[in-house]
């Protein structure tokens, strides 16, 4: 069993989705800020946005949807969570097999020596943060628009969805590629696709079963 999750999974934890109205920050569109160009042009502004989000996510708790996916692991079928989210809530909710397609907001990478730092503090002391090793500027350890996904994560995700009998697609608008491509890939390989979304979406007809509702309500019932 594979679960492909998006921002809707964390919405009930109070983390704004990318495309929902509550996702805006100082009236910037996330698509504008989550790019290498925006970071090159104004690293401090982009870091202020990420620092704001880190603060929000640090306050957030995993919700019943996260816990339900973790319980599924105990119940039996091997569960891998392939997430587009960078908030780490699946891990905090108890899932032990999580692939982070778009990286993690709790990771920082040095623009100089490329060293990967992990920093769980809600707020960073100085923005932009600097590498303790080489003094260069650190960037958020996430995948921006126009950047390739981590090859290992992408390969592992394709492998996982190509060999699963069921793909649960939860809380994603399916607008971001190549993550959204994992649904037709699973379908091609013969998986049953179950869609859980607050809105009536059908992801281009790929879904075998569509369950409309909040993931925090639907998933515990599904697991029962
Ligand atoms: C790539 C990390 C190859 C950062 C994110 C033109 C130029 C360049 C690129 C492109 C282009 N056109 C298209 C592309 C490709 C681009 C893309 O797909 N763009 C889209 C927007 C058109 N993709 C990329 O650039 C990717 N890389 O393609 O590399 C390449 C290389 C060079 C040049 C070209 C191509 C990289 C994409 C990764 C971007 N990084 N995040 C950060 O977080 O700051 S993506 C970002 O969007 C988040 O990760 C988020 O998870 C993700 C997807 O959004 P969703 O998760 O689906 O969230 P969304 O808000 O959209 O929807 C929420 C859903 O939940 C809704 O359906 C709602 O109904 C539902 N919901 C709400 N509440 C609930 C709920 N459901 C259930 N319960 C609830 N309570
Ligand atoms: Zn460095």
């Amino acid at each position: 069993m594979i679960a492909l999750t998006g921002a809707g999974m964390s919405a009930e934890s109070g983390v704004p989705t990318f495309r929902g109205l509550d996702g805006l920050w100082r009236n910037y569109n996330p698509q504008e800020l989550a790019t290498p160009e925006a970071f090159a042009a104004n690293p401090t502004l982009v870091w202020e946005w990420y620092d704001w989000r880190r603060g929000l996510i640090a306050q957030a708790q995993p919700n019943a949807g996260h816990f339900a996916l973790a319980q599924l692991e105990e119940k039996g079928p091997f569960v891998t969570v392939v997430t587009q989210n960078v908030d780490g809530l699946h891990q905090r909710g108890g899932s032990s097999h999580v692939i982070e397609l778009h990286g993690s907001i709790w990771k920082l990478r040095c623009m100089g020596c490329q060293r990967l730092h992990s920093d769980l503090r809600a707020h960073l002391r100085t923005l932009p943060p600097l590498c303790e090793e080489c003094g260069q500027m650190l960037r958020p350890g996430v995948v921006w628009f126009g950047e390739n996904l981590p090859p290992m994560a992408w390969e592992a995700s394709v492998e996982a969805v190509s060999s699963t009998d069921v793909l649960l697609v939860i809380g994603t608008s399916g607008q971001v590629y190549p993550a959204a491509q994992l649904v037709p890939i699973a379908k091609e390989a013969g998986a049953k696709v179950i869609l859980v979304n607050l809105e009536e979406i059908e992801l281009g007809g790929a879904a075998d079963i569509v369950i409309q509702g909040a993931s925090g309500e639907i998933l515990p019932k599904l697991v029962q």
Side-chain angles (χ1 to χ4, degrees):
M1 157 86 75
I2 305 294
L4 172 64
T5 69
M9 188 80 211
S10 299
E12 288 159 85
S13 296
V15 182
T17 63
F18 252 68
R19 284 160 195 81
L21 284 182
D22 58 354
L24 292 184
W25 173 76
R26 292 191 206 165
N27 292 328
Y28 285 100
N29 177 332
Q31 314 257 104
E32 294 163 48
L33 290 176
T35 65
E37 294 76 20
F39 188 70
N42 192 335
T44 305
L45 176 78
V46 173
W47 262 117
E48 284 171 357
W49 178 48
Y50 279 96
D51 201 57
W52 173 73
R53 289 172 65 192
R54 288 166 62 102
L56 268 189
I57 297 167
Q59 305 284 339
Q61 298 302 325
N63 63 60
H66 295 109
F67 293 126
L69 283 185
Q71 272 159 19
L72 208 53
E73 267 180 41
E74 285 147 30
K75 290 210 177 222
F78 191 79
V79 180
T80 295
V81 176
V82 176
T83 189
Q84 299 171 81
N85 301 337
V86 299
D87 56 34
L89 288 177
H90 281 297
Q91 293 90 328
R92 283 178 50 199
S95 287
S96 42
H97 310 285
V98 181
I99 299 174
E100 294 180 317
L101 281 177
H102 297 157
S104 168
I105 201 164
W106 302 115
K107 293 218 171 60
L108 302 87
R109 194 169 66 247
C110 180
M111 305 288 278
C113 68
Q114 300 306 315
R115 190 174 249 89
L116 196 63
H117 302 247
S118 208
D119 187 324
L120 296 174
R121 280 174 301 170
H123 292 288
L124 298 168
R125 219 190 338 274
T126 54
L127 298 179
L130 303 179
C131 176
E132 299 122 41
E133 312 290 332
C134 73
Q136 297 275 347
M137 182 162 56
L138 300 178
R139 59 161 281 174
V142 299
V143 179
W144 280 326
F145 288 100
E147 292 187 320
N148 286 314
L149 274 56
M152 300 276 285
W154 177 247
E155 296 301 319
S157 303
V158 171
E159 169 60 34
V161 302
S162 304
S163 49
T164 183
D165 48 356
V166 175
L167 177 68
L168 261 180
V169 182
I170 311 157
T172 177
S173 61
Q175 287 172 35
V176 172
Y177 285 83
Q181 200 60 34
L182 292 170
V183 178
I185 291 174
K187 192 92 185 141
E188 284 292 299
K192 278 273 171 288
V193 174
I194 302 176
L195 205 53
V196 177
N197 198 296
L198 199 60
E199 287 156 10
E200 164 86 19
I201 70 168
E202 29 72 64
L203 289 194
D208 297 288
I209 299 170
V210 177
I211 307 175
Q212 188 173 352
S215 48
E217 278 154 45
I218 302 290
L219 290 178
K221 289 189 188 124
L222 259 186
V223 169
Q224 295 318 326

